[in-house]
Amino acid sequence: MTLTKKAESRPAAPNSWGLARGENPWEYAPAPEATDHIRIEPEYGLFIGNEFVRSTPRKTFTVINPATEEPLAKVAHASKADVGRAVGAAHEAHRSVWSKLPGRERAKYLYRIARIMQERSREFAVVESMNSGKPIKESRDVDVPLAAAHFFYYAGWADKLEYAFPNRDPRSLGVAAQVIPWNFPLLMLAWKIAPALAAGNTVVLKPASTTPLTAYLFADVVRQADLPPGVVNIITGPGEIGMELVTHPDVSKVAFTGSTAVGKMIARALAGSDKKLTLELGGKAANIVFDDAPLDQAIEGIVNGIYFNQGEVCCAGSRLFVQESVYEPLIEKLKARLGTLRVGDPLDKNTDVGAINSAAQLAKVQELVESGIAEGAEMFQPDCELPTRGFFFRPTLFTGVSMSHRIAQEEIFGPVLSVLTFRTPDEAIEKANNTPYGLSAGVWTEKGSRIFKMVNAMRAGVVWANTFNRFDPTSPFGGYKESGYGREGGIHGLGAYLDLSANGVSGR
Ligand code: NDP
């Protein structure tokens, strides 16, 4: 089936704007971010022991820009032997240097990394947008500052582990194997590497195959910050290399973010081993709007909840529950707001919705949208032009959705919102919790007591009230049910990288 439903037109501007008849109020002059200040190497080797080395045997694959489909660079395709080399380097660095450094010395390195990331933030933002497809205003204002903030935050804990975990003798675990996805390549790297290093572990990180470039830029920062060789190692290769890494016998801790399917495979593979494991997997978050909510504010929260990063967000507010009495005005406002979203070049500072990360992900989004139409939901898309090349998809809204539709059940991981309704708070809770996932949720209401009731009743690791998609290094993040286990961020995220079994009373 093809997507033939006619797109609807954008709203007219109010008379008070004083525009000439027929003049389009939503046109913006292009504002492209410069790319002459960045340097992408033609080829990247694996980053092992602070050196870029070739894979053995030498093998590469090509990384492309999803907005243009043009190649950006070749990167090394690690072999099983390379995984062993990287883990070996990390193991040795942990044994001989990193675990022996006092916390205050580790903290200095983390601060240095954070400062260098800030200094090079423009470079990081541009490379991130070119490689992932996300709008530059998001990589510039969200991904890169938050990544630096994670290093600052965990630098602060590195010499205070005994205070973070009183009456314990916190000890590092050893080598942490970290496998991350393509939706927040740099931010997920920071979520993983910062607490691991603060706790005294060394790491081997495998970025997603479509988005390794900011990880390799980060490798350059590691050298600039003069980290001892082997403390941070980065390898690239397909999923099976990820599996090889997480199951390596010298790995003590595994942290994975990605699909629930792969998370389950990793959990099965590690069952019975003594490796510590945290999994941050998929989601199908409920964003619940009560009739007393400030509607204009809620509209911004809904848009941010599902169209931020093209909806490629594990905690995206992809199921909107609207109280019946405000359904019509809310949908009208939402459709008008969708008409103002600018879809296109990720490097344009005006762009709201960039490119989907890969052809495969675009096909998945299309397939699920087609299932929504086939199952009888009504689709709305604004009438916006899409670039002729690249993996773009219009912001999409489905009304007339029922709980059994695939678009209400499955993670789409794209700019697609399913709207459902409810009458009472209990009905909202029941519907919101009726999902195998439990990562995040949102509540929009003026009543504090209702917020507390909803927050306590919803089976979600994070619940936002009158906001959505807010992240902070001090705040733990993670899921229930098929959204995974363990927490990242805050003290909880630090604990995941420590052995806390020893009693600290007679300790150091
Ligand atoms: P994956 O779970 O396959 O990828 C995430 C990471 O895991 C990547 O680094 C990937 O490597 C690696 N990986 C893949 N297979 C294995 C394996 N067998 N063992 C160890 N590591 C592995 O996600 P996809 O990219 O396939 O996306 C599919 C769907 O997953 C999306 O449509 C979305 O619904 C969901 N997803 C959820 C994310 C989240 O944040 N919760 C993030 C990404 C996707 P490589 O890139 O080389 O395949």
Side-chain angles (χ1 to χ4, degrees), residues 33 35 38 40 61-74 125-136 209-213 310 344-348 354-359 362 387-392:
E33 172 64 64
T35 55
I38 62 149
I40 296 179
F61 58 96
T62 301
V63 173
I64 65 164
N65 179 339
T68 61
E69 301 176 53
E70 299 289 337
L72 287 171
K74 285 183 176 169
V126 171
V127 176
E128 192 74 321
S129 281
M130 288 174 77
N131 193 188
S132 71
K134 65 175 70 205
I136 185 77
S209 292
T210 53
T211 54
L213 295 191
Q310 299 73 244
D345 180 6
L347 287 181
D348 190 315
I356 302 291
N357 183 248
S358 64
L362 179 60
T388 48
R389 291 205 76 185
F391 312 130
F392 290 92

Side-chain angles (χ1 to χ4, degrees), residues 61 179-184 188 206-211 236-244 246 256-263 265-266 280-283 312-315 357-358 361 364 411-413 437 439 483:
F61 58 96
V179 178
I180 58 171
W182 40 261
N183 53 341
F184 291 93
M188 288 303 105
K206 190 197 97 59
S209 292
T210 53
T211 54
T236 34
E240 68 224 44
I241 288 302
M243 188 53 87
E244 201 61 50
V246 299
F256 172 78
T257 298
S259 63
T260 297
V262 173
M265 283 164 63
I266 291 176
E280 201 263 271
L281 311 175
E312 296 166 323
V313 183
C314 49
C315 52
N357 183 248
S358 64
Q361 185 59 25
K364 180 186 166 185
E411 183 177 53
I412 301 176
F413 228 63
Y437 296 112
L439 193 54
S483 292

